[in-house]
Amino acid sequence: DTLNAEYKLFVATSSALDRDNNTVYLGDNNDTGKVFKLDKEIYQDDSNEIRCEIKTGKINHGYSSVRKRSKKLSFDLLRGKNNVEAKVSLRYQDDNKNWNNEIVIDIGNAGNNNNVDFYRLGIYKTRQYLISFTGDLPFMISIPEEEIEILGG
């Protein structure tokens, strides 16, 4: 349910590999008898939108006990050329505490390369990012870069 930002976990109960055709099949967990084929050209999960997530490790820029101000986080988002509306979202967790609310950016529905920038993301000692992408097309995040200001202890 993308309207309420509620995503279901797809759980497969079985899998099979067809080596001759290099294809993977999955059996669903709902006793429906459905079999799904994994395909790099399909970006829906039993008609539900797929939400891809990338979670970083803990980041401290080499200064674990020093506070830092995140001035800018940017990365390139390479996406397919399908004329499909897509969104990218960011959450972060500071100093092993709660995750912040999701920050969502609409990256439109045309083209295949977007530079995504997030500004003024607060102060932290260590941080972990969660980047999510929703859209019926392939995507790849590259060249992540964070501009920080060292504040001291």
Side-chain angles (χ1 to χ4, degrees), residues 4-27:
N4 297 314
E6 294 175 3
Y7 298 92
K8 295 184 222 168
L9 181 65
F10 180 83
V11 179
T13 56
S14 58
S15 65
L17 171 64
D18 177 355
R19 291 185 191 277
D20 294 336
N21 296 309
N22 196 25
T23 304
V24 175
Y25 297 95
L26 300 174

Side-chain angles (χ1 to χ4, degrees), residues 1-7 51 102:
D1 181 4
T2 56
L3 208 54
N4 297 314
E6 294 175 3
Y7 298 92
R51 179 179 171 104
E102 198 169 50

Side-chain angles (χ1 to χ4, degrees), residues 12-150:
T13 56
S14 58
S15 65
L17 171 64
D18 177 355
R19 291 185 191 277
D20 294 336
N21 296 309
N22 196 25
T23 304
V24 175
Y25 297 95
L26 300 174
D28 82 345
N29 192 28
N30 297 322
D31 295 328
T32 64
K34 289 184 180 179
V35 175
F36 300 93
K37 174 182 165 187
L38 293 183
D39 188 328
K40 66 180 182 178
E41 301 299 320
I42 303 297
Y43 306 99
Q44 291 187 344
D45 208 2
D46 190 18
S47 74
N48 292 313
E49 188 174 60
I50 293 178
R51 179 179 171 104
C52 300
E53 295 184 335
I54 298 170
K55 187 186 290 187
T56 69
K58 308 284 187 197
I59 300 169
N60 64 22
H61 297 280
Y63 302 98
S64 60
S65 61
V66 176
R67 294 180 320 131
K68 294 154 278 288
R69 176 178 287 126
S70 177
K71 296 169 81 173
K72 177 182 175 182
L73 175 69
S74 64
F75 51 86
D76 287 340
L77 180 65
L78 308 173
R79 50 172 262 178
K81 294 183 179 181
N82 301 14
N83 195 22
V84 175
E85 184 178 315
K87 297 183 186 307
V88 64
S89 66
L90 176 78
R91 295 183 73 194
Y92 55 88
Q93 176 189 45
D94 292 341
D95 308 321
N96 295 319
K97 295 183 181 162
N98 293 333
W99 289 90
N100 77 314
N101 291 330
E102 198 169 50
I103 303 166
V104 179
I105 293 179
D106 183 350
I107 57 171
N109 61 0
N112 68 344
N113 190 352
N114 296 85
N115 181 265
V116 179
D117 296 321
F118 295 93
Y119 294 94
R120 298 184 299 276
L121 296 175
I123 296 171
Y124 65 92
K125 289 183 180 178
T126 61
R127 176 168 284 178
Q128 187 172 21
Y129 286 106
L130 177 64
I131 301 165
S132 302
F133 177 83
T134 358
D136 189 13
L137 63 163
F139 88 107
M140 178 178 71
I141 292 176
S142 67
I143 316 172
E145 187 175 307
E146 183 176 28
E147 183 181 333
I148 62 167
E149 175 185 352
I150 302 294

